[in-house]
Amino acid sequence: MKLVSYKTEDREHLGVFVNGHIYNLNSCDKLIPDEMNAFLQGGEELMDRAKKISKSIADGILSPKEEIFYEILAPVPHPTSCRDGYAFRQHVAAARRNRKIEMIAEFDQYPIFYFTNHNAIQGPGEIECMPDHFQKLDFELEVAIVVGKKGRNIKAAEADQYIAGYMIMNDMSARTLQMEEMLLNLGPAKGKDFSTVIGPWLVTPDELEPYKVAPKPNHVGNNYNLKMVCRVNGIEVSAGNMADMDWTFAEIIERCAYGVDILPGDVIGSGTVGTGCFLELNGTGLLNDPNYKVQWLQPGDNVEMEITGLGALTNIIRKVDTDFSILALKK
């Protein structure tokens, strides 16, 4: 099942995407809330109701009125929190090699994550960026999950049961801001907090069963053979596969939930797939060829991410008309 959040006029709604059309779930079953957060809080009972509706529509048993005039939002427009992981060893190793430093041993010892701005979640469409963001503006090609039920101190062997679904994630990054502030060893902040894009819909785990593969040796949890691609202005710039995750989402959840609650509506990203951002691509290119032409996102760029089974997420980059700069405020 593919769940979608969308807007008609000034109201947000929850729908199901079937055969290229969006249908409002609440209009089919009044027990299903008309927004994603309340739906997720309803747990497995509401999820089962929605799946029955989706199947009935797909089978032609139910013929509700489809939505015509709408704006697709992030599947979870108002997540309770947003974390981003660091699951792909290839990306980490390449980024460190490009900076001429050794691979860090701790990567293989435990999964890590950071909290990003859950109030800056966006879906398909335009992304407005400030002038300073265009100082090395970057995409990051990722997969994300949304938590479907409350839990605490969850073991990795049981953690996949807490995943309501999967989405594409683009962790937008302003590299100049990021690199400057991380010199203070506090982690990403202004370089990451302006936009995290998810979408176009939330795909429930049952739809991904045909793609399931074994996790890496000595790891626990579900993994999937899903091709991941990013195109900028129609040109493919990045390609990877979710199957290359070294740390599974189950293992990331285990760490997230240690001593704290995870909640329905929490979003957790995988971290960048290998080759999944210009920072890595530019670094590798320059390492191999000093004359390599580096690339960063520019105003007007079209960024399209496509992942097998999860759809395609498309955004247009826009520049805010202002001369306000926090880089210029440095003492």
Side-chain angles (χ1 to χ4, degrees):
M1 178 174 62
K2 297 179 176 69
L3 294 164
V4 60
S5 294
Y6 64 99
K7 180 187 289 187
T8 59
E9 297 178 344
D10 294 327
R11 287 194 58 201
E12 295 181 3
H13 305 277
L14 174 64
V16 62
F17 185 83
V18 182
N19 297 329
H21 303 284
I22 291 176
Y23 303 91
N24 183 271
L25 282 167
N26 178 259
S27 67
C28 299
D29 184 342
K30 294 303 181 184
L31 292 180
I32 297 179
D34 199 19
E35 58 95 10
M36 180 64 83
N37 282 40
F39 171 78
L40 291 171
Q41 290 166 13
E44 294 179 5
E45 179 183 349
L46 293 185
M47 189 68 74
D48 288 342
R49 285 178 173 272
K51 285 180 179 178
K52 289 177 182 177
I53 291 170
S54 180
K55 187 176 187 306
S56 294
I57 295 172
D59 293 344
I61 298 171
L62 185 64
S63 300
K65 181 182 177 182
E66 67 178 270
E67 294 287 0
I68 303 297
F69 303 105
Y70 58 83
E71 173 191 353
I72 294 183
L73 306 172
V76 187
H78 312 288
T80 42
S81 71
C82 187
R83 298 171 174 89
D84 201 12
Y86 213 33
F88 291 93
R89 195 180 200 279
Q90 178 187 346
H91 169 68
V92 179
R96 295 181 71 85
R97 181 197 66 225
N98 294 344
R99 303 201 306 274
K100 297 181 172 56
I101 56 177
E102 295 293 323
M103 180 59 181
I104 188 166
E106 284 78 5
F107 176 87
D108 297 308
Q109 296 174 5
Y110 49 87
I112 64 167
F113 65 90
Y114 70 93
F115 281 94
T116 190
N117 186 2
H118 66 291
N119 291 316
I121 292 292
Q122 294 181 256
E126 292 191 354
I127 300 174
E128 288 194 343
C129 299
M130 294 290 284
D132 287 349
H133 295 144
F134 286 97
Q135 300 298 313
K136 300 182 179 179
L137 181 63
D138 209 352
F139 69 90
E140 290 193 359
L141 175 59
E142 308 187 19
V143 180
I145 59 107
V146 62
V147 173
K149 59 181 179 179
K150 183 178 178 179
R152 187 183 183 100
N153 294 328
I154 302 161
K155 298 294 179 65
E158 304 166 355
D160 284 308
Q161 303 171 24
Y162 289 80
I163 298 175
Y166 296 79
M167 311 168 286
I168 302 170
M169 175 185 275
N170 179 2
D171 178 28
M172 294 289 294
S173 303
R175 298 302 187 186
T176 295
L177 286 166
Q178 179 189 358
M179 296 308 171
E180 285 196 354
E181 64 194 5
M182 288 188 70
L183 292 173
L184 293 165
N185 296 321
L186 199 59
K190 294 309 298 177
K192 295 277 192 176
D193 74 345
F194 59 100
S195 176
T196 301
V197 192
I198 55 175
W201 33 70
L202 180 67
V203 179
T204 52
D206 54 291
E207 286 213 8
L208 300 183
E209 280 295 314
Y211 306 103
K212 188 180 286 188
V213 294
K216 294 287 184 74
N218 301 316
H219 289 271
V220 177
N222 292 341
N223 203 1
Y224 302 93
N225 176 24
L226 306 182
K227 184 179 179 181
M228 304 169 65
V229 174
C230 181
R231 305 178 189 91
V232 177
N233 300 325
I235 299 171
E236 183 176 310
V237 295
S238 173
N241 198 300
M242 184 180 172
D244 291 328
M245 286 180 73
D246 293 273
W247 294 104
T248 66
F249 276 115
E251 292 168 325
I252 296 170
I253 289 172
E254 180 180 63
R255 190 167 182 88
C256 291
Y258 182 78
V260 297
D261 293 336
I262 59 170
L263 302 172
D266 284 357
V267 169
I268 305 173
S270 63
T272 310
V273 69
T275 78
C277 65
F278 281 138
L279 180 67
E280 180 187 337
L281 294 168
N282 290 338
T284 301
L286 289 170
L287 195 67
N288 297 327
D289 177 7
N291 297 314
Y292 179 86
K293 186 177 180 181
V294 302
Q295 184 177 357
W296 302 104
L297 294 177
Q298 303 298 324
D301 278 354
N302 181 305
V303 181
E304 181 188 32
M305 295 184 170
E306 186 172 4
I307 298 180
T308 303
L310 302 184
L313 176 61
T314 303
N315 297 100
I316 305 294
I317 309 300
R318 300 295 186 204
K319 186 175 183 179
V320 176
D321 184 14
T322 178
D323 59 1
F324 181 37
S325 166
I326 57 170
L327 287 170
L329 298 176
K330 289 189 298 182
K331 302 299 185 186

